[in-house]
Amino acid sequence: MPINSSKILLGNEFTLDYKSTYNNEMKNLINSMELISFTYMNSNNNTLNKFGIEYSYIALAMNNILKLTNNNIKNMEINKT
C-alpha cells in the first residue's frame, strides 16, 4: 500500500451517474482521469508515477477523440450511466 494512500484515488472518480450530454459525460471522465494522473504523478511512488503518466496519455488521447466526435453524438442525451 502506498505511503500516502489516503490521497490515492482508486477509480471512484471514473463513476458518473447523472443526466447529461455525451460531451459533458466525456469531459467529466477526462477531467477525472487527469486528476487521478496528477495525484499519481505526485505520490512519491515510482509505480504510481508511471501509472500517472500513462493516465495522462490516455486522457490526452480521449480529449483528442472527443474533439473529432460528431456534434450529433456530442449532444446526445445520456440519462443513466
Side-chain angles (χ1 to χ4, degrees):
M1 175 160 292
I3 293 170
N4 57 351
S5 62
S6 63
K7 296 181 182 180
I8 303 300
L9 303 173
L10 299 176
N12 293 340
E13 292 297 318
F14 293 121
T15 304
L16 305 173
D17 189 20
Y18 58 90
K19 291 184 178 185
S20 183
T21 62
Y22 174 82
N23 187 51
N24 289 339
E25 292 265 345
M26 290 304 295
K27 283 182 179 179
N28 284 327
L29 183 59
I30 292 165
N31 288 340
S32 295
M33 191 166 291
E34 289 172 345
L35 174 65
I36 291 169
S37 170
F38 181 76
T39 303
Y40 280 10
M41 286 191 290
N42 291 297
S43 68
N44 296 322
N45 178 301
N46 288 336
T47 302
L48 289 178
N49 188 349
K50 290 176 185 175
F51 277 116
I53 292 168
E54 293 301 316
Y55 277 138
S56 71
Y57 292 148
I58 294 167
L60 180 63
M62 288 174 65
N63 198 29
N64 288 333
I65 291 169
L66 184 59
K67 288 177 187 176
L68 298 172
T69 302
N70 182 303
N71 282 333
N72 290 333
I73 301 296
K74 284 183 183 179
N75 294 327
M76 188 181 305
E77 289 290 324
I78 306 294
N79 64 14
K80 187 174 183 181
T81 57

